Amino acid sequence: MEAIQEQEPARTRERRYEALARVVAAPLHRYLLRRAEAGQVDDVLAETMLVLWRRLDEMPGMPEGAAPGADDVLPWCYGVARGCLANARRAERRRLRLVERLTRAASPSPPADPGDHGELHDALGTLGETDREVVLLWAWEELKPRAIAEVTGLSPNAVSIRLHRAKKKLAAALERKNGGPAGQAMGEGRSDR
């Protein structure tokens, strides 16, 4: 008996909401079509209808037993839709800022002084993406071939081969640009003591 009494208010609430939805769904859809991007309209409308369900008892102009009049409930519903649209826009701006930050973080940073290492960066640009990543992990991150293999998904042997070939290709590219052998000049970087 108690379960039946609890179900009756739930059924009454559902009927009230269905009556409201019949009155406001189409006008709210038109309202959002004029204000939101086409891809957002259905999501914002769904969010608006969810808020209307949650706040059904707070809605002004919503009669208990009869169907609501559009003039009585639409202004309040438009206010809810406006708030939901503002939330969707804020969420989209946050998402775009996050994508921008992640893109900046993932892109290789330019050299601090391009004049000092411009030739090296040009030579790195001649390598394929995987070979360049292998060389950069080895040179900048100081990883061993086994660790590079774990990062790239290659076998350690494949990393060693790619690294050897890429270093040879870089040396040849730098030699062509400078007109001399790549690497340190004789005596450079050594103590003469």
Side-chain angles (χ1 to χ4, degrees), residues 160-181:
S160 295
I161 292 169
R162 282 180 176 270
L163 184 58
H164 176 74
R165 289 179 182 165
K167 289 189 323 189
K168 282 177 95 172
K169 188 173 181 180
L170 283 174
L174 291 171
E175 186 175 320
R176 283 193 303 270
K177 288 190 180 227
N178 295 331

Side-chain angles (χ1 to χ4, degrees), residues 54-175:
R54 288 182 187 150
R55 299 182 66 192
L56 187 63
D57 296 330
E58 302 169 33
M59 187 178 308
M62 187 70 183
E64 280 296 320
D71 292 339
D72 297 330
V73 294
L74 265 176
W76 195 82
C77 294
Y78 285 145
V80 171
R82 185 173 180 262
C84 290
L85 181 58
N87 288 342
R89 287 177 176 158
R90 277 192 298 276
E92 181 65 13
R93 284 192 301 270
R94 282 192 306 269
R95 188 190 68 76
L96 290 174
R97 283 193 307 267
L98 176 62
V99 167
E100 185 179 304
R101 280 196 324 262
L102 291 174
T103 302
R104 272 196 315 258
S107 66
S109 58
D113 183 5
D116 287 348
H117 304 291
E119 294 168 351
L120 175 60
H121 287 279
D122 290 343
L124 281 168
T126 66
L127 298 177
E129 186 177 329
T130 304
D131 288 345
R132 184 173 45 251
E133 181 68 11
V134 166
V135 169
L136 295 178
L137 287 169
W138 171 77
W140 289 354
E141 310 306 328
E142 299 179 358
L143 295 180
K144 304 280 187 237
R146 185 174 303 282
I148 296 170
E150 191 173 325
V151 171
T152 60
L154 300 169
S155 70
N157 190 41
V159 168
S160 295
I161 292 169
R162 282 180 176 270
L163 184 58
H164 176 74
R165 289 179 182 165
K167 289 189 323 189
K168 282 177 95 172
K169 188 173 181 180
L170 283 174
L174 291 171
E175 186 175 320

